[in-house]
């Protein structure tokens, strides 16, 4: 940036001969090297592999196979099934989480005592490792001795311990969504709460004096003010849940049959159960393309929204 | 209670708010309570209806069994080393990079930053396919270095952004003052700015440790035999030897969560500050 010429002279006369720009680049060099070696190169190679026959025996020498991987996953109709499952899982997990997180953070942001204590309690599930979350919820949702079935039975909705959570297609989806929301809700709440705490209270008070009720000021003042945080959190949650593997793998294993096989579980199984690296990479590439377009779309909508309101 | 105990709508609202908070806290924390309670019981006390909500004949038996198993202790050690290594590598990368992104005019800075941030969209499995081939060739399979490098990719984007936002909060006039006092650029970074972003560094440490500890997918593929990490070990025993031993399973799960929970209890303040600093600034 523009720095005083005097300061520049003062420094260049000293032992450092590196320009500021070169020094700055030097500092990001380790990050760039790691990025290139373990992210950019693997992704680039993954895109190439997606067009190749690549199994365990030729793991280091993929051979071009004329889009066979893509034709395969579309021909079996498998891709659309995985894709649909992923969308159901991601949309439900994220939307329920955003709504609950919003309610919880509004509650925490209201005039209460012990806010920090409550926030501290609410964040604990986030610190539990995903594998443990999966095993814990499997036990809670266990058919014969699980607490959830017991509670539902006590309310009289079912007459015996009969809900087989992880083996019924719809219930299996509900199980993984429940476990994921439990684990992720704290993060969402803390972020939204931070957003709420930065809202100008003067604006809310002014609206109150002008006769706006709580709901109105929430809709017209609070939500627009925290829109950037809300968008960031939602976006992070969407990408994160596209990646969700640990909880699904350890709760349902993608089953029953394919009921909870999302793109990430399918890509894993193709690669490391069937050792069809090419097919797995093809699933991954399609998923990247989808997220890329969603990002463009959301940026475009964001720009338009900002223009309308500025 | 000067106004007496009359119920005004406002008081009713306050009462309802606390009631909702306590209820929600109870619901969110119940699974953890249940994990702890079950971990102190023998399995046959768990296979009953109605469930015992308080431990019957509580004992440390499940825990003793785990600590007497050399294999499990080894998994613990592996997780500690890999997570600790990931923290160190992530800091080594993020502290200079965050400083540079905050202070220096680098060509294509915004482009580089958005590419680094977009890493989160890339399917981990696709990265793993190449790492698997690459690591086999380079003899990096089942090594700490290999897993540390792989785990670092998961945490690098957010670590750099967090550190950058912390540097952004330090006024530039401080750099200028240091410069006038004759401090070199590296000296300014290490002696003057680094202590000021210490809370951010702590936040990044916790964040990276937590993520590396939580990692399952990378470790599942890259670490075999006695190099397996704790998360993979827990998942495996759950499908194998602890299949019906719910008490043991819960004890193992609880021990697996404990390092993070302890970290959180002591460093909560930094963690929340670190998590939210970037978000609020946009």
């Amino acid at each position: 940036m523009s720095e005083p010429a005097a300061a520049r002279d003062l420094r260049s006369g000293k032992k450092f001969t590196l320009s500021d720009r070169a020094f700055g680049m030097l500092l990001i060099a380790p990050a760039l090297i790691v990025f290139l070696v373990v992210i950019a190169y693997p992704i680039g190679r993954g895109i190439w592999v997606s067009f190749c026959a690549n199994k365990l025996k030729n793991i280091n020498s993929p051979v071009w196979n004329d889009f066979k991987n893509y034709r395969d996953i579309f021909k079996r109709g498998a891709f659309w099934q995985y894709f649909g499952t992923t969308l159901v899982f991601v949309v439900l997990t994220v939307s329920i989480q955003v709504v609950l997180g919003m309610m919880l953070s509004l509650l925490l942001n209201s005039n209460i005592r012990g806010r920090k204590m409550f926030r501290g309690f609410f964040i604990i599930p986030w610190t539990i490792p995903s594998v443990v979350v999966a095993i814990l919820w499997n036990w809670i949702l266990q058919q014969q001795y699980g607490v959830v079935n017991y509670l539902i039975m006590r309310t009289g909705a079912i007459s015996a311990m009969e809900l087989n959570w992880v083996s019924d297609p719809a219930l299996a989806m509900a199980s993984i969504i429940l476990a994921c929301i439990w684990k992720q809700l704290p993060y969402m709440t803390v972020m939204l709460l931070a957003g709420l705490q930065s809202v100008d209270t003067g604006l809310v008070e002014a609206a109150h004096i002008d006769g706006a009720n709580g709901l109105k000021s929430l809709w017209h003042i609070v939500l627009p003010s925290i829109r950037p945080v809300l968008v960031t959190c939602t976006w992070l949650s969407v990408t994160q849940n596209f990646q969700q593997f640990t909880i699904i793998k350890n709760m349902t294993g993608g089953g029953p049959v394919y009921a909870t096989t999302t793109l990430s579980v399918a890509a894993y199984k193709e690669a490391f159960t069937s050792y069809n690296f090419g097919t797995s990479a093809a699933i991954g590439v399609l998923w990247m393309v989808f997220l890329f377009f969603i990002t463009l779309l959301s940026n475009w909508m964001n720009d338009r929204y900002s223009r309308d309101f500025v | 209670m000067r106004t007496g105990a009359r119920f005004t709508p406002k008081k009713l609202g306050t009462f309802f708010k606390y009631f909702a908070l306590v209820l929600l806290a109870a619901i969110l924390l119940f699974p953890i309570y249940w994990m702890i309670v079950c971990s102190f019981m023998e399995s046959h006390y768990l296979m009953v209806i109605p469930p015992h909500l308080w431990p019957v004949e509580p004992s440390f038996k499940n825990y003793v069994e785990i600590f007497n198993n050399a294999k499990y202790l080894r998994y613990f050690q592996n997780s500690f080393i890999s997570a600790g290594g990931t923290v160190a590598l992530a800091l080594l990368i993020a502290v200079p990079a965050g400083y540079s992104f905050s202070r220096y005019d680098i060509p294509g800075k915004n482009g580089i930053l958005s590419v680094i941030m977009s890493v989160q969209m890339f399917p981990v499995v696709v990265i793993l396919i190449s790492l698997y081939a690459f690591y086999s060739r380079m003899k990096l399979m089942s090594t700490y270095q290999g897993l540390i490098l792989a785990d670092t990719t998961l945490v690098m984007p957010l670590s750099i952004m967090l550190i950058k936002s912390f540097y952004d909060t330090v006024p530039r006039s401080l750099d200028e003052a240091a410069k006038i006092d004759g401090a070199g650029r590296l000296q300014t970074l290490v002696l003057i700015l680094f202590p000021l972003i210490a809370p951010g560094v702590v936040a990044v440490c916790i964040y990276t440790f937590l993520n590396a500890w939580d990692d399952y997918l990378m470790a599942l593929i890259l670490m075999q035999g006695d190099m397996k990490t704790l998360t993979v070990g827990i998942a495996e025993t759950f499908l194998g030897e602890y299949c019906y031993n719910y008490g043991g399973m819960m004890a193992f799960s609880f021990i697996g969560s404990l390092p993070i929970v302890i970290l959180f209890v002591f460093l909560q303040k930094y963690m929340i500050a670190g998590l939210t600093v970037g978000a609020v600034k946009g």
Side-chain angles (χ1 to χ4, degrees):
Chain A
M1 302 295 277
S2 62
E3 55 175 329
R8 198 193 299 255
D9 293 341
L10 194 72
R11 208 185 41 252
S12 57
K14 293 203 175 165
K15 55 191 168 185
F16 285 115
T17 48
L18 231 51
S19 74
D20 268 357
R21 179 173 277 197
F23 183 67
M25 307 246 289
L26 196 69
L27 291 179
I28 59 167
L32 285 187
I33 292 169
V34 169
F35 177 79
L36 288 176
V37 174
V38 279
I39 298 172
Y41 163 72
I43 289 290
R45 187 181 174 278
I47 295 173
W48 161 241
V49 162
S50 77
F51 296 105
C52 294
N54 187 207
K55 305 222 169 184
L56 206 50
K57 60 179 191 306
N58 67 336
I59 182 164
N60 281 320
S61 48
V63 190
W64 174 267
N65 71 350
D66 228 8
F67 301 100
K68 184 168 179 303
N69 301 325
Y70 289 94
R71 275 184 280 133
D72 276 357
I73 48 177
F74 280 110
K75 198 162 58 194
R76 282 184 277 139
F79 179 77
W80 295 114
Q81 189 188 356
Y82 302 148
F83 185 67
T85 309
T86 311
L87 283 189
V88 170
F89 168 70
V90 172
V91 168
L92 284 176
T93 307
V94 175
S95 55
I96 295 173
Q97 199 183 124
V98 168
V99 172
L100 286 179
M102 201 62 228
M103 281 160 46
L104 210 53
S105 58
L106 280 170
L107 207 54
L108 283 170
N109 194 44
S110 64
N111 186 22
I112 54 155
R113 280 186 209 177
R115 175 185 303 142
K116 283 192 175 156
M117 184 193 72
F118 277 115
R119 187 179 63 179
F121 281 137
F122 284 141
I123 206 175
I124 292 177
W126 182 64
T127 63
I128 305 294
S130 303
V131 164
V132 172
V133 171
I135 291 173
L136 181 55
W137 278 95
N138 255 343
W139 167 227
I140 291 173
L141 295 170
Q142 208 259 6
Q143 187 187 355
Q144 293 151 289
Y145 307 108
V147 186
V148 167
N149 269 2
Y150 175 71
L151 286 178
I152 298 178
M153 192 173 77
R154 282 294 293 268
T155 66
I158 52 174
S159 54
M161 304 287 282
E162 60 187 9
L163 294 181
N164 196 345
W165 286 88
V166 292
S167 306
D168 174 271
L171 289 179
M173 181 57 88
S175 308
I176 57 173
I177 292 174
L178 183 64
C180 288
I181 291 176
W182 182 74
K183 157 119 177 139
Q184 297 163 7
L185 182 62
Y187 183 77
M188 183 63 81
T189 307
V190 169
M191 298 294 261
L192 293 180
L193 179 61
L196 285 177
Q197 283 171 338
S198 70
V199 173
D200 186 356
T201 45
L203 275 179
V204 182
E205 271 161 32
H208 187 70
I209 291 166
D210 287 348
N213 60 20
L215 218 56
K216 262 192 179 153
S217 70
L218 173 69
W219 189 252
H220 293 289
I221 296 167
V222 177
L223 282 184
S225 315
I226 64 161
R227 201 178 57 92
V229 183
L230 201 57
V231 170
T232 313
C233 291
T234 308
W235 175 237
L236 275 177
S237 182
V238 167
T239 52
Q240 210 180 63
N241 281 303
F242 256 85
Q243 301 272 18
Q244 182 57 256
F245 170 76
T246 312
I247 291 178
I248 303 177
K249 167 82 165 38
N250 287 300
M251 279 188 83
T252 64
V257 198
Y258 289 112
T260 53
T261 303
T262 59
L263 289 172
S264 67
V265 175
Y268 168 82
K269 282 186 175 167
E270 282 294 344
F272 297 105
T273 311
S274 324
Y275 292 103
N276 279 325
F277 297 118
T279 320
S280 167
I283 294 175
V285 168
L286 291 168
W287 146 9
M288 276 192 285
V289 170
F290 176 74
L291 279 188
F292 180 71
F293 277 112
I294 291 289
T295 311
L296 286 187
L297 191 72
S298 83
N299 285 347
W300 176 72
M301 282 183 5
N302 228 355
D303 286 350
R304 229 181 53 158
Y305 183 95
S306 316
R307 224 171 332 159
D308 286 353
F309 277 75
V310 171
Chain B
M1 284 294 194
R2 262 178 308 167
T3 50
R6 272 179 298 137
F7 278 110
T8 60
K10 198 172 176 186
K11 259 189 202 159
L12 205 65
T14 313
F15 170 77
F16 179 74
K17 260 193 292 204
Y18 283 105
F19 178 75
L21 278 171
V22 171
L23 186 73
L24 284 167
I27 293 174
L28 280 174
L29 293 181
F30 174 77
I32 296 168
Y33 169 78
W34 187 229
M35 168 165 71
I36 298 170
V37 167
C38 291
S39 73
F40 286 110
M41 282 192 276
E42 287 192 44
S43 281
H44 59 94
Y45 288 121
L46 301 179
M47 315 274 235
V48 288
I49 288 293
H52 298 293
L53 290 176
W54 188 250
V56 185
E57 282 188 41
S59 77
F60 283 98
K61 199 167 151 274
N62 295 323
Y63 290 95
V64 172
E65 253 172 49
I66 288 164
F67 281 112
N68 280 335
N69 191 325
K71 192 169 76 174
Y72 298 160
L73 293 181
R74 176 74 205 218
Y75 293 163
F76 250 103
Q77 187 193 340
N78 293 340
S79 272
F80 265 112
I81 295 174
S82 336
T86 307
V87 171
L89 185 58
L91 281 185
L92 221 56
I93 288 171
V95 170
Y99 174 62
S100 178
F101 282 127
S102 166
R103 292 296 200 262
Y104 288 98
D105 177 30
I106 295 157
K109 178 154 102 176
N110 290 336
I112 299 176
L113 273 177
S114 36
V115 168
I116 288 182
M117 281 315 279
S118 67
V119 166
Q120 290 159 14
M121 291 175 2
F122 299 158
V124 176
V125 174
V126 176
I127 296 180
L128 264 172
I129 292 171
S130 302
L131 285 188
Y132 185 71
F134 179 54
Y135 277 18
S136 309
R137 221 170 17 192
M138 305 289 286
K139 304 249 179 309
L140 277 171
M141 284 301 258
S142 297
T143 60
Y144 293 126
Q145 307 90 288
L147 184 63
I148 289 169
L149 194 61
D151 278 350
T152 303
T153 63
L154 299 178
V155 294
M156 200 175 74
L158 206 71
S159 303
I160 294 178
M161 290 309 280
L162 276 182
I163 296 278
K164 178 186 174 291
S165 359
F166 271 90
Y167 277 122
D168 285 346
T169 62
V170 179
R172 268 163 188 271
S173 55
L174 223 68
D175 302 36
E176 303 290 331
K179 206 183 277 175
I180 291 165
D181 287 346
R185 284 173 297 202
L186 215 54
Q187 250 177 323
T188 311
L189 167 60
V190 176
L191 296 178
I192 297 170
L193 296 178
F194 189 77
L196 289 174
I197 61 146
V201 173
V202 176
V204 169
C205 287
I206 306 167
Y207 167 80
T208 45
F209 192 88
L210 199 135
N211 271 277
W213 190 270
D214 188 40
D215 167 58
Y216 170 77
L217 182 50
M218 294 277 195
L220 180 66
I221 306 299
L222 301 177
M223 302 294 258
Q224 301 297 332
D226 66 352
M227 290 300 284
K228 279 176 191 157
T229 60
L230 193 65
T231 46
V232 178
I234 291 178
E236 223 175 47
T237 44
F238 159 67
L239 295 171
E241 54 245 67
Y242 277 14
C243 192
Y244 293 103
N245 181 358
Y246 288 104
M249 207 188 292
M250 290 301 116
F252 206 1
S253 297
F254 184 57
I255 301 177
S257 320
L258 209 55
I260 308 289
V261 175
I262 291 173
L263 212 65
F264 168 75
V265 168
F266 286 105
L267 300 170
Q268 196 197 126
K269 193 177 72 181
Y270 296 102
M271 196 138 123
I272 291 173
L275 285 178
T276 52
V277 67
V280 178
K281 300 230 159 45

